[in-house]
Amino acid sequence: LDENENINFYPNPTDGLLMIENAKQQELSIYNAMGTLISNTMILNNNFKLDLSKLAEGNYMLVSHKNGVVTGKEMIVRN
């Protein structure tokens, strides 16, 4: 995975609502610690709110796909 500082998200850890910035026209996937795809969303706006309140507490990987570039960042969900 390539490191890309353009996409930002907060808060991390999150208790449910994740704010995502600079993600326009990107596909976002969320994987659990076992590598299972949990969610897949196409982001059309530059700033986006993602509701993660139904996810179990734990570590997840947020993966963005744009123009053939794949970027992954770890996030923590705490309930």
Side-chain angles (χ1 to χ4, degrees):
L1 300 173
D2 292 331
E3 183 65 26
N4 183 349
E5 294 300 322
N6 291 334
I7 186 171
N8 297 310
F9 61 89
Y10 60 89
N12 191 21
T14 183
D15 61 359
L17 190 62
L18 190 69
M19 305 297 292
I20 301 172
E21 298 177 336
N22 301 324
K24 187 174 183 178
Q25 300 297 320
Q26 293 191 42
E27 180 182 353
L28 291 180
S29 302
I30 298 174
Y31 295 89
N32 66 14
M34 301 297 289
T36 303
L37 178 64
I38 301 297
S39 172
N40 198 33
T41 306
M42 183 64 182
I43 308 297
L44 301 176
N45 299 317
N46 200 34
N47 298 319
F48 187 76
K49 295 177 185 177
L50 191 58
D51 183 6
L52 304 176
S53 61
K54 295 182 180 170
L55 291 181
E57 193 170 283
N59 294 346
Y60 294 85
M61 181 66 71
L62 178 69
V63 179
S64 66
H65 310 264
K66 183 174 182 179
N67 299 328
V69 176
V70 178
T71 304
K73 295 186 177 185
E74 184 179 3
M75 67 177 178
I76 301 169
V77 174
R78 291 188 181 152
N79 297 328

